[in-house]
């Protein structure tokens, strides 16, 4: 395996793209942390400061993006 990176998924309840994102990460055997934006004001402020307005927001090492992005998830594996 290559370098270990921290992957964080900022999510919301009943979010289809959030579920698709975590399932894609699991399917590739990647470990990640999920943070519920509706329960963590600091996390909500952080992703808002990054310019995001939709969930999920994925931060993987130096990279980050919003929405379900199987192309970018595939690059992490």
């Amino acid at each position: 395996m290559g370098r270990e990176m921290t992957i964080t998924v900022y999510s919301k309840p009943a979010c289809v793209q959030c579920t698709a994102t975590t399932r894609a990460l699991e399917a590739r055997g990647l470990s990640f942390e999920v943070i519920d934006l509706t329960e963590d004001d600091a996390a909500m402020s952080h992703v808002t400061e990054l310019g995001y307005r939709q969930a999920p927001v994925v931060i993987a090492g130096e990279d980050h993006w919003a929405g379900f992005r199987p192309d970018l998830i595939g690059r992490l594996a």
Side-chain angles (χ1 to χ4, degrees), residues 1 3 12 16 20-24 26 29 31 33 37-39 47-49 58 60 66 70 73 77:
M1 301 262 320
R3 59 196 165 93
K12 289 183 173 182
V16 174
T21 297
T22 57
R23 284 184 180 158
E26 288 168 352
S31 60
E33 177 183 8
L37 291 170
T38 65
E39 296 180 0
V47 299
T48 301
E49 287 167 11
V58 178
I73 292 169

Side-chain angles (χ1 to χ4, degrees), residues 1-5 7 28-31 76-77:
M1 301 262 320
R3 59 196 165 93
E4 282 292 315
M5 77 169 68
I7 301 172
R28 286 165 178 78
L30 297 166
S31 60
L76 301 176

Side-chain angles (χ1 to χ4, degrees), residues 3 5 7 9 12 15 25-26 30 33-34 41 50 56-58 61 63 69-70 72:
R3 59 196 165 93
M5 77 169 68
I7 301 172
V9 179
K12 289 183 173 182
C15 166
L25 290 166
E26 288 168 352
L30 297 166
E33 177 183 8
V34 176
D41 290 337
L50 290 173
V57 173
V58 178
D63 298 324
R69 295 290 306 273
L72 296 176

